Each structure stands twice: as structure tokens, then as C-alpha cells.
Amino acid sequence: MNHVTIAASEKAFEQLFKAVRDNFTVAKSDSANFGPFSASYAIQLHLAGGSIQLNNDGTIEIKTVDVVFDVLKVQICFDLPGFCIPSFCIIPDPWNGCLVGFPGFCIGGPVCLPLDLSGLVSEINDIKARLNPKYFVDPGRLPTWSDLDAEFAGKPNQWQIYIDPDWVSVDPIDIPASVGNMVENALRNAINNLFPGWLPGWAKDLIWAFLGPLLGVLKGVLGFLDSFEDFLQDLLGNQFDILGFIETAVADYLASKYPIYQFEDPYPILPQDGLLIPVKIPLRNLTATVNTNEMIVLADVG
Amino acid sequence: MAFTDHCDLYAAVHEEGANRLIQHLMLQRPSMFNYATADVAANKELWCEQVKFTDDVPKYGNPIFTVLPPLPVIGVDSPPVGLSYCVQLQKFELDFHPNNIFGLPPELDPLKEQHFALHFLVCGALACPDDRVLEQIPVLPPETNKERPEKVPPVHVPGKLQCFCLRVFVVGHFERAFILSKETLLGKVDGVEIVDIKPGELENSIECYIRTAVTMTLRQKLAIPLATFFVSFPLFGMGTVILTPTTNPPIPNNPAIEEDQLKAFITMTVI
């Protein structure tokens, strides 16, 4: 029989998981050129919610964890196809020339559409994991140090128990249909910025009529067939592989960054008492597993 | 049956682990188990038993012995005379119910449910000075002694130590107690028995001394905070939960001593 047994109910385990979950945050930004257009993004996210199920085969299933994008900003840049409105005479001069004329102008060139989708929520639909105890030796610990030297130097060895995922599955980012209006407005603003300042309103109306529906313009330039939200979902999820990044970041975090349970080894059972050194016991053969009822940690006193 | 059927946190230490823990305690804090006057503590040859300790003990200047003043000789004050001595506690064995590591003397047998038994040796010796040493101690005039009694230094006489060992058996149980504002597991002594001491009144007096010493040591030095017993489980200190010892019912004994283990049960309330 093992010398030490510690068990935590599923309810207690959920509290441990919440602490791990709430400490997670990650940020990333990137940009890429996709031929007809280029795009960049910046994200920062944290996790919330979720449910835990412990299984008799030693696995932990974590479901429906919200991925909350505190920051999700995308910018898409492309060259608006150029076209020109030639000059023409509005009030001709009956003797010679033109009394009032329209000088003509050309628009087109680089346009960038900034989209701020911060606050969007995606979901980790499933994490399947097992507990994995690791023995951590502080890299700053000198080989000549005793365990007590290491403790006094703030670099004690540690047992660390991680939730080690077999897989993490993140749902595609659910881009709302309203993003279509957002991008239309962004494009309208961008094109408005291309107009010369002297351009009268009626001329602008004329140009807007010429351009037709703006999403149609975007379809032509960016080359998507269906909705803009599908295009954006594909851009973020597949082209930039944000989903893969989140899956990797969560898996890496759980497996090696934030243990669900850690303690010093040797473990101090009596504190320092004046000049008397603390009394510490080495814990060996540590195992950690779960069943449907609880998490069980076993160890021997070395 | 799950460990946490009626609680949220469960911790248990098996008696084998507890005995290894005592060995580590003796190696790392030898001064808790070895007591002597300064002259005996400083001279290995005078010890009843050699003492094992970790390299860290001398490295950090920790004592092997707790040094105590010489034992005063009664009726002697011109000058006062003190004798050297040595007391060493050894060979500890702890046995959680059921009793299956060592036999108990009839007075304590059988070990009751929810109780532990402890067995150890008390080895000691009083330094016995020979006549020649005693004759060399000057006798001070009474007048001088009355005028300045505090200035007469005690004479600490050397002598030969003849060690003896007593086998001590203790039975007890564990309770929860608040010590230094912390919920702790505290060992309580229910009975002490020393084998083969006559007359009975002498045995009773020594047993009383040992009972007092063990009781107070458990209270002052070896009360285990619950968080320590649970190896600093992360829920201790977490602001979102309240941890309280599980009550009876559903847990009849908390802490419990059963199946050769000391067990504790905690109920969690999420704030």
C-alpha cells in the first residue's frame, strides 16, 4: 500500500480546473499576402465556462469551454480596381469652350478594411486528457546543492501534476452575419477617403451607382463566392490557422505550463524553527489518476 | 467505495509512511531526540548511542543535542554542585490500529479502535563522579555564601556515565485542534507504560514524566496543520472555496485511525 493517499472529489477537481482555466491567456498577431489581397490579425483570448467529466479509464473530458476573444482585430488590404471619370462640360460657353466643367478624376489603388471583432466567443468543444505527474528540477539549481540549499535559494524541486491532453478540439470561429454590414461600412469609408475633397455630392452618388453593391465589389476583389462571414471564417480558421494555434496553445499550457497541483520535494512537514532547519520528507513513486468519482494521488515516503 | 464519497478532500498516511517520516525527523532534527549537559553533548564518547543526522544539520550549525543545565545535587549550595547527564530517545515505531507492528504490554493491550500505539527507547545516564573528584570541590564558608549567594558559581562535576534503556509504550488518538490559529491534527496521549520498573510508584512517576513530555511535545512541536497533512493541496488558500473538516455524520471519526492509516476528511463549500 502507498504511504500517502490524497483524493479530491469531482467537485473539488472542478475547482482546481477553474483555477487553471482562469489563468490562461494568450495573444498572437500575424500577417500574410494571399495574392489579390493581404491580411493581418491580432488576437488575445481567455477561457471561460466548461464542464468536466472524470472517467474510469483515467481520462478527463472537458467540454464546451468558451474561447473569449478579448481582442480580435482583422485588417484586409487590397487594390481597389481603378477607374476614371473623364472630364466633361456641364455648362458650355456658346462662343467658345465651357463655362462650367467637371474636371474628371480617377480613383482606385490600395484600400484597407479594419474590422474589430473583439468580444467574439468561440468554443473548445472537447478536451480529452489524462493526469501526468512530472518531476521538476529547477534549471537554476546548482549540482552541489542539497535539497535544503535549493529551498533556501528559492529553487526547490517540485512534483507537478498536469492535465495532459490527448487532443483539443476548437470549433470554427462563429463569425456573425452582421460582419457583412461592418465590412460594407468599412469599404464605404475607405472609398470615400479616395474621393477628392472638391467632389460634389451628386458626383459621389453617381460613382456609388456605378460601383453597385459593395459586397459585390469585395467578392470580385477577394474572390469569395458566398458570404463575407464564411470568407472571414476561412481566412482566420484555415488560412491563418488560428484554430490550430489555439488548440496548440491550450494543449501546451495544460500539459506543461500550469500544473493542476504542485508541491515541493522534499516536502516540508516542520517549518524552520529559529536556527533549526525545516524538516522535509522526500515523496517518491508519485502517481495521479482519476476515476468517475475523484482524482487520486498516491506517493511513498522515500 | 470512493475515498470522497462523503467528503471533497481525503488524505491518509499509512503507518509505514509515518514511521519513515519519524526517521526523517530524527535525522534532520536530532536535537528533538537527544538531550544532555554541554560536556556530554560535546563528547561523542559519552553518548549512550551514536546519533545519525543529515549533512545539513552540521552544515547549518544545528545542534545534535539540546543542551540542558546540570542536574542540581540536592542539599548542596556551598558551592552548588551539578551532575552531567544524557537522555536519548531512539527506535521509534508507530502503529495505527489495528495493532500489528509490535506487541503491547498487557496494561495497554488490546489497542482500541481509532487509536495508535507508539513504542520507543529512552536511554540515559547520570554522570557519577568518583570520590576523588568530590573531595577536590572546595567548601565555601557559609558567611560568604549568605552575603552573595548569587555569585557562587555551581560546580559541574564530571563523572562516568552508565547508560540504561527503558522501553516505553504510548497509546493515544488524534484530535483536531486550533493551534496558533491553524486547524491541526494533534496527537493525544491516553496511556503510557514502561516495562520492568520497580517499585510501582517509581514506574508511575517516570510514566507521568514521559506522558507530560510526549503530550507537550506533540502539542508544541508536532501538531500538523491540516494543509500540511494534505500536502498543500491547492484548494487550501484558494479564495473561492471554504474548507471545513467533514462532520459526523456522515464521517463518524475525523481524523480517523483505521486500516493502519491516519485519515482526514474535508468538505468544500464553493463561495
Side-chain angles (χ1 to χ4, degrees), chain A residues 134-138 156-160 259 262-266:
Chain A
K134 294 181 181 177
Y135 195 72
F136 173 75
V137 178
D138 194 301
N157 294 353
Q158 289 185 334
W159 279 108
Q160 299 176 330
Q262 66 177 340
F263 54 84
E264 277 182 44
D265 181 73

Side-chain angles (χ1 to χ4, degrees), chain A residues 216-227:
Chain A
V217 174
L218 272 180
K219 277 185 186 178
V221 174
L222 303 180
F224 62 88
L225 299 174
D226 299 319
S227 63

Side-chain angles (χ1 to χ4, degrees), chain B residues 150-203:
Chain B
E150 71 283 0
K151 292 211 171 177
V152 178
V155 177
H156 184 178
V157 291
K160 187 177 178 185
L161 286 94
Q162 285 190 312
C163 290
F164 63 90
C165 290
L166 301 175
R167 294 184 70 191
V168 179
F169 294 87
V170 177
V171 294
H173 65 282
F174 278 91
E175 292 179 357
R176 298 193 314 271
F178 266 99
I179 294 182
L180 299 176
S181 305
K182 287 181 182 171
E183 180 100 38
T184 59
L185 294 182
L186 177 64
K188 303 278 280 188
V189 176
D190 294 318
V192 174
E193 190 60 36
I194 299 174
V195 180
D196 295 337
I197 289 195
K198 299 290 179 192
E201 290 75 12
L202 173 62
E203 179 181 348

Side-chain angles (χ1 to χ4, degrees), chain A residues 149 267 275 277 280 294 302, chain B residues 4 24 28-29 59-60 232:
Chain A
D149 296 333
Y267 180 70
L275 289 176
I277 57 178
K280 307 179 75 173
E294 59 204 0
Chain B
T4 56
H24 284 289
Q28 295 174 52
R29 199 162 282 185
K59 181 177 177 179
Y60 285 95
S232 299

Side-chain angles (χ1 to χ4, degrees), chain A residues 70-85:
Chain A
D70 303 304
V71 174
L72 174 48
K73 291 182 177 176
V74 184
Q75 181 159 277
I76 299 169
C77 296
F78 53 88
D79 278 334
L80 187 72
F83 61 90
C84 295
I85 307 288

